[in-house]
Amino acid sequence: MFIHKLQNIFRLGCKELWSLWRDPIMLLLITYTFTMSIYTGASSMPESLNNAPIGIVDEDHSALSERVSSAFYPPLFTPFETQLDQMDAGMDAGLYSFSMTIPSRFQEDILANRGATVQVNVDATRVTQALTGSSYIQQIILTEVNSYLQGHRSVTSLPVDLELRARFNPTLDRQWFGGIMQVINNVTMLSIILTGAALIREREHGTVEHLLVMPVTVFEIMMAKVWSMGLVVLVASFVAVHLVVKGFMHIPIEGNLWLFFLGASLSLFATTSLGIYMATVAKSMPQFGLLMMLVLIPLQMLSGGLTPRESMPEVVQNIMQFAPTTHFVNLAQAILYRNAGFDVVWMPFLCLFAIGAVFFYFALKRFKETIHTMT
């Protein structure tokens, strides 16, 4: 009897894979999600300062003003020499994120200890760059002025020698973090989409009624969708990690990938069950898409993958303990970034299994109720 159930689950799962293979839109979505989406998500750095355009108006044309102007160079800034009457127009047109005006007699006032004012305009619509860039500009100007007055670049002697070592990402390259997190987020997103779309597609095509007259149970139908769609996402993420993350983007991964994919399998068990539950609530694909936005965005934004969970309100942290993405992000970062073993991540594994079992139970119960109403 048990072997017969396994055979039914396997064959129904193969049917789901064949249906997916004949759906070009879904195949295109899978391909894009685990290729271009990973690259664009990792290489776009909205909160980092990267070649920010800065317009520089030098009205002094002194050695000090030229020294300050030449201190703004890539990869932080892309300098542009401009005129005072063109500066506001350039800011309005979005040509410059920053503009700096060095007044006349700037060097003379500095040497005479009369003080000088450098005007810096910031495009605050680019909030993340504005905050970071303002501090960089202030630091660069003060450093160049002080070194000019001293005649050389001096190093301040501190009573404590501080050695800073950036572990797990020694170059502080955001792509190392962004690439892996994009894979983690896409695993959650695509597993919900594929399982939900598979169920809604059968309901719209009327094939659910065909399954009900066959000698299969609701549990077998649902389990087939879980393993087949989970397998697709798992294989796609495996290929993406090796070809896109490690091969194309050259992001080193020190952790045990087999342990990571084991944790991903438990997370897929929970998210595919969630996708089926959402598909039973929605009546059509447009409704499912709207419902997915309400569920997926909080799962990704509050899981700790984009911002530390410690910075969130305590009530949000407590609620997100019941979300599978929270524990998946926790174990994935520990394994892939810090090379943690199972003795470190066993608790997230256990939580994922418990959450997945609960999600599967409620999804199965809801699925049975939906099937009974159809019959």
Side-chain angles (χ1 to χ4, degrees), residues 6 30 32 48 59 63 89 94 116 118 122 137 139 179 187-188 194 211 229-230 251 312 325 329 332 343 365 367 370:
L6 290 180
I30 296 172
Y32 172 79
S48 303
E59 296 184 326
V118 176
V122 181
I137 292 174
Q139 182 180 1
V187 165
T188 302
L194 291 181
L211 292 176
M229 297 300 103
I251 298 177
M312 303 176 189
T325 50
V329 169
D343 57 328
K365 183 179 179 181
F367 192 26
T370 305

Side-chain angles (χ1 to χ4, degrees), residues 213-343:
V213 299
M214 298 175 61
V216 293
T217 63
V218 177
F219 171 81
E220 294 170 358
I221 297 174
M222 178 174 167
M223 197 65 195
K225 297 182 184 300
V226 168
W227 82 257
S228 58
M229 297 300 103
L231 179 63
V232 170
V233 176
L234 202 62
V235 171
S237 60
F238 181 86
V239 174
V241 167
H242 284 83
L243 295 185
V244 180
V245 176
K246 298 178 65 176
F248 181 73
M249 302 179 64
H250 305 290
I251 298 177
I253 297 178
E254 302 295 337
N256 189 338
L257 286 177
W258 295 109
L259 186 61
F260 164 71
F261 286 114
L262 178 61
S265 302
L266 290 176
S267 179
L268 288 170
F269 175 54
T271 53
T272 50
S273 301
L274 179 60
I276 292 177
Y277 184 89
M278 293 166 54
T280 59
V281 175
K283 303 301 181 182
S284 61
M285 276 301 296
Q287 288 186 8
F288 177 74
L290 294 174
L291 182 61
M292 199 188 75
M293 291 175 59
L294 297 176
V295 175
L296 186 62
I297 293 177
L299 285 180
Q300 292 187 348
M301 295 188 65
L302 303 178
S303 63
L306 299 178
T307 56
R309 295 185 62 247
E310 293 76 12
S311 63
M312 303 176 189
E314 187 175 354
V315 61
V316 175
Q317 297 184 39
N318 295 332
I319 293 175
M320 290 305 294
Q321 286 289 343
F322 301 98
T325 50
T326 300
H327 305 284
F328 183 39
V329 169
N330 187 10
L331 70 88
Q333 291 182 347
I335 295 172
L336 298 180
Y337 295 150
R338 300 187 290 272
N339 195 18
F342 185 76
D343 57 328

Side-chain angles (χ1 to χ4, degrees), residues 99-120:
S99 64
M100 180 179 66
T101 303
I102 302 176
S104 58
R105 305 179 65 179
F106 173 69
Q107 176 177 305
E108 180 181 341
D109 291 340
I110 292 294
L111 293 177
N113 199 24
R114 291 194 295 264
T117 301
V118 176
Q119 179 179 345
V120 178

Side-chain angles (χ1 to χ4, degrees), residues 120-176:
V120 178
N121 296 326
V122 181
D123 184 357
T125 59
R126 306 173 182 179
V127 179
T128 52
Q129 281 200 352
L131 295 174
T132 307
S134 299
S135 60
Y136 271 110
I137 292 174
Q138 181 180 6
Q139 182 180 1
I140 290 173
I141 294 175
L142 293 178
T143 300
E144 294 300 328
V145 171
N146 290 333
S147 62
Y148 178 80
L149 292 176
Q150 295 172 358
H152 64 281
R153 297 180 183 272
S154 62
V155 179
T156 305
S157 178
L158 299 177
V160 177
D161 187 13
L162 180 63
E163 291 188 4
L164 179 63
R165 297 179 180 178
R167 299 187 61 188
F168 316 120
N169 189 357
T171 60
L172 300 179
D173 188 353
R174 186 187 177 276
Q175 287 196 17
W176 288 25

Side-chain angles (χ1 to χ4, degrees), residues 2-29:
F2 179 72
I3 301 298
H4 183 67
K5 284 184 174 291
L6 290 180
Q7 290 177 346
N8 289 340
I9 294 174
F10 175 76
R11 290 166 181 166
L12 289 172
C14 292
K15 178 191 72 68
E16 296 293 339
L17 295 175
W18 179 248
S19 299
L20 179 63
W21 178 253
R22 295 188 299 174
D23 192 339
I25 300 300
M26 283 298 177
L27 294 178
L28 180 62
L29 175 64

